[in-house]
Amino acid sequence: MIDMKHILETINMIREENLDIRTVTMGISLFDCVSDDEDKLCTKVYDKIMSRAEKLVPTACDIEKQYGIPIINKRISVTPISMIGGSCSETGYLKLAKTLDRAAADLGINFIGGFGAMVQKGMTVGADRLMNVIPQALAETERVCSSVNVASTKAGINMDAVARCGKIIKEAAHLTADRDAIGCAKFVVFANAPEDNPFMAGAFHGIGEPETVINVGVSGPGVVASAIQRAGDCSFSELADLIKKTAFKITRMGQLVACEASQRLGVPFGIVDLSLAPTPAIGDSVAHILEGMGLESVGAPGTTAALALLNDAVKKGGVMASSFVGGLSGAFIPVSEDAGMIDAVARGALSLEKLEAMTAVCSVGLDMIAVPGDTSADTICGIIADEISIGVANTKTTAVRIIPVEGKTVGDTVSFGGLLGYAPIIKVNEYSPAKFIARGGRIPAPIHSLKN
């Protein structure tokens, strides 16, 4: 029997607490598009994406209207392009990036992910060529997102790939300097990248995925923050239980939308990613959840413990609401996309080092962090290596999306617009890791990776 109280509660979450479906993402396999002819490859890729996703946006809009649930983004992820580009020249890979961008524009989606490579153990010729053109591809397209997986718990850390990524980030920042280095906001470096992640910039369609699949990412920091505020000074166990129950309700909404989209599109349902994804809007902040638990400011001592409690409770509640939970699932802590994080950095309460510590217990990593434009490629590589090592050692996904903004320094602010938000430039340790990065090769996998 339908409980009117639960219906009204959900309506209030949507109207007053910023509850929404952050993204419906269609994953599309491009393996059957492979061709020795670069022009034919681009044509086949465009035709495959258009034929599979032609009804994605209208269907999502229909679901939105029928149920009154806001669906903020409609997106596509594809097979990592280095896997289907094969022997393409660098020019060919750039054509592929522009083909993806054209398809995304024609379909009316905001981002398409998958222009990337899996290089945790080494680089193929295709991956090498693709990585060479990532900065140009990000500068010359609007909707294409790129990711590179440089490490895994099983393989260790490919430090040669890390070094390449530092240079990619610096070049992308330079090529988009007139747009506040927006190219870097569309590029992420991963350890243990999930193959079913619906969120950008790291979404791609993994090799173990179906031909086509629907993955949904939910959001609801405002709902959780409001529940904590109503609970008052309860114990930690009561707080965890409250968050679990709230996450259950949020995830059930995501499950509903995922199943509806799957049925209407005739595409298998993949996963619900129950990550709490914030926005710059007031009342939609993960930082404010942590402060609602009793922290004077996010970044204060106790922040990592509060985030660990939140992340664990969200996962426990979400798993009870859906049989297929995947992607990243937990709590995102991007700086520029979270009003509370922005304020904490601006007031000096939150440092890069504290953010790194927090990533040991959150669902992703150092995300949307703006740093001075004169930060060296070696320093960026060191930041990446530190963050990636947390993922490798803890058998979890971690990632880095860092943005060196030319002409900006500590005390300045940079704006990216929309959901990407704005961010104060954060201070970076001035001591250089150059000689460490220059060693090259791979950092071996940890001993606990030997589980066969």
Side-chain angles (χ1 to χ4, degrees), residues 117 148 293 385 449:
V148 176
M293 292 183 185
S449 69

Side-chain angles (χ1 to χ4, degrees), residues 155-237:
I157 305 174
N158 183 348
M159 288 299 292
D160 292 329
V162 170
R164 286 282 292 278
C165 287
K167 294 175 182 176
I168 287 170
I169 290 167
K170 287 291 288 184
E171 188 178 351
H174 178 69
L175 291 177
T176 56
D178 60 331
R179 289 167 281 165
D180 286 332
I182 190 65
C184 299
K186 300 185 292 175
F187 177 69
V188 60
V189 184
F190 270 113
N192 296 317
E195 298 188 352
D196 54 7
N197 168 24
F199 288 103
M200 299 295 171
F204 65 90
H205 189 69
I207 60 173
E209 294 291 297
E211 181 73 12
T212 314
V213 70
I214 286 291
N215 297 318
V216 167
V218 300
S219 182
V223 178
V224 176
S226 294
I228 290 172
Q229 185 178 17
R230 289 193 298 270
D233 297 327
C234 60
S235 69
F236 284 119
S237 57

Side-chain angles (χ1 to χ4, degrees), residues 29 117 142 167 182 194 197 226 250 284 312 351 368 373 406 412 448:
S29 171
E142 292 184 20
K167 294 175 182 176
I182 190 65
N197 168 24
S226 294
I250 294 169
D284 202 22
D312 180 67
S351 67
M368 289 301 292
E406 291 190 5
D412 293 333
H448 58 258

Side-chain angles (χ1 to χ4, degrees), residues 52-355:
R52 294 296 174 129
E54 63 179 344
K55 296 180 180 177
L56 175 62
V57 172
T59 298
C61 290
D62 286 345
I63 294 171
E64 191 174 20
K65 290 175 184 176
Q66 180 175 345
Y67 291 100
I69 301 170
I71 300 175
I72 306 303
N73 299 300
K74 298 84 178 173
R75 296 168 171 172
I76 292 171
S77 62
V78 298
T79 307
I81 292 298
S82 68
M83 292 184 177
I84 62 109
S87 59
C88 275
S89 64
E90 291 182 10
T91 301
Y93 278 109
L94 190 58
K95 285 182 182 177
L96 278 167
K98 292 181 178 180
T99 298
L100 296 178
D101 200 48
R102 180 163 62 96
D106 291 346
L107 289 167
I109 64 170
N110 71 323
F111 284 126
I112 184 166
F115 191 76
M118 308 290 285
V119 295
Q120 58 268 26
K121 206 170 183 181
M123 247 176 255
T124 63
V125 171
D128 180 66
R129 290 174 180 168
L130 179 139
M131 289 177 73
N132 282 339
V133 303
I134 286 175
Q136 188 178 355
L138 296 176
E140 296 181 11
T141 62
E142 292 184 20
R143 298 167 178 84
V144 172
C145 290
S146 177
S147 62
V148 176
N149 192 74
V150 299
S152 69
T153 299
K154 193 70 177 175
I157 305 174
N158 183 348
M159 288 299 292
D160 292 329
V162 170
R164 286 282 292 278
C165 287
K167 294 175 182 176
I168 287 170
I169 290 167
K170 287 291 288 184
E171 188 178 351
H174 178 69
L175 291 177
T176 56
D178 60 331
R179 289 167 281 165
D180 286 332
I182 190 65
C184 299
K186 300 185 292 175
F187 177 69
V188 60
V189 184
F190 270 113
N192 296 317
E195 298 188 352
D196 54 7
N197 168 24
F199 288 103
M200 299 295 171
F204 65 90
H205 189 69
I207 60 173
E209 294 291 297
E211 181 73 12
T212 314
V213 70
I214 286 291
N215 297 318
V216 167
V218 300
S219 182
V223 178
V224 176
S226 294
I228 290 172
Q229 185 178 17
R230 289 193 298 270
D233 297 327
C234 60
S235 69
F236 284 119
S237 57
E238 291 171 321
L239 188 64
D241 193 51
L242 173 69
I243 295 170
K244 283 190 290 185
K245 291 176 179 176
T246 305
F248 177 88
K249 295 171 186 175
I250 294 169
T251 307
R252 290 303 285 177
M253 189 178 77
Q255 175 89 356
L256 169 65
V257 170
C259 290
E260 279 289 321
S262 171
Q263 183 177 0
R264 296 185 189 195
L265 292 166
V267 172
F269 160 47
I271 57 92
V272 176
D273 185 319
L274 47 95
S275 296
L276 297 179
T279 72
I282 301 300
D284 202 22
S285 164
V286 170
H288 291 160
I289 294 175
L290 305 180
E291 290 167 357
M293 292 183 185
L295 299 172
E296 184 177 2
S297 170
V298 67
T303 297
T304 306
L307 182 59
L309 185 156
L310 173 65
N311 217 46
D312 180 67
V314 165
K315 289 181 179 180
K316 287 175 178 174
V319 165
M320 291 299 293
S322 174
S323 297
F324 299 102
V325 170
L328 296 163
S329 290
F332 288 173
I333 53 169
V335 172
S336 77
E337 299 174 12
D338 186 309
M341 295 289 182
I342 294 166
D343 291 343
V345 172
R347 73 171 76 98
L350 187 60
S351 67
L352 186 60
E353 288 74 19
K354 186 61 177 180
L355 277 165

